[in-house]
Amino acid sequence: MAYLWIKAFHVIAVISWMAGMLYLPRLFVYHCEAQKGSIQSETFKIMERRLLKAIINPAMIATWVLGLILIWQGGWITSGWLHAKILLVLILSGVHGFLSKTVKVFAADANVRPAKFYRMLNEVPTVLMVGIVILVIVKPF
């Protein structure tokens, strides 16, 4: 029974993490279009920081902790699909790190990338999520 509760909270954490990972790059797109120092730009800085600190970071930590507990309790450690999933989650965590750094870049008014870059970056978490879900549900190997 505990396994199912942990699994439920893991899924909730993943949904929260992905919501933030999909929304933050979209905020960057809009932030690119705002004049530096404007009220809009300052508002985006607050939104980006709060999203990262209040939702994305805690959700990622919960996802990892609960996921590792599930691996241990479920005895999945030798499963090939799990190894592939962990690789994709590590890449997603790297994207998370990049987004965290980018929040600091925008906070310092030091962004040099165009909005198009962030529009393309916005698709990366989606592609990783699709791969992760397929691996978990289908368990192809």
Side-chain angles (χ1 to χ4, degrees):
M1 184 59 103
Y3 183 85
L4 293 178
W5 280 101
I6 294 166
K7 190 175 186 179
F9 285 112
H10 176 69
V11 170
I12 292 165
V14 169
I15 291 168
S16 300
W17 188 22
M18 287 306 305
M21 293 290 286
L22 296 171
Y23 186 47
L24 189 56
R26 180 56 47 191
L27 287 176
F28 295 156
V29 169
Y30 300 137
H31 199 158
C32 284
E33 298 167 357
Q35 285 285 355
K36 291 179 183 176
S38 67
I39 292 173
Q40 271 187 328
S41 178
E42 297 306 310
T43 301
F44 282 125
K45 289 177 188 180
I46 293 167
M47 292 171 68
E48 292 157 359
R49 186 185 74 250
R50 287 182 180 169
L51 178 62
L52 183 67
K53 301 289 185 190
I55 297 173
I56 302 175
N57 288 346
M60 182 193 72
I61 292 166
T63 296
W64 270 102
V65 169
L66 296 169
L68 291 171
I69 292 169
L70 290 171
I71 291 168
W72 175 71
Q73 285 191 346
W76 299 107
I77 195 67
T78 60
S79 303
W81 66 267
L82 177 66
H83 299 160
K85 176 193 173 189
I86 289 172
L87 174 64
L88 294 181
V89 176
L90 283 169
I91 294 168
L92 185 61
S93 297
V95 173
H96 176 126
F98 179 79
L99 294 178
S100 296
K101 179 182 173 189
T102 304
V103 167
K104 293 175 184 173
V105 168
F106 272 104
D109 288 326
N111 177 56
V112 294
R113 291 189 169 94
K116 185 175 181 177
F117 172 82
Y118 297 110
R119 280 190 188 95
M120 293 187 325
L121 178 63
N122 197 53
E123 303 307 321
V124 174
T126 303
V127 171
L128 292 168
M129 177 190 61
V130 168
I132 291 165
V133 169
I134 289 171
L135 287 166
V136 171
I137 301 299
V138 178
K139 295 180 179 59
F141 46 88

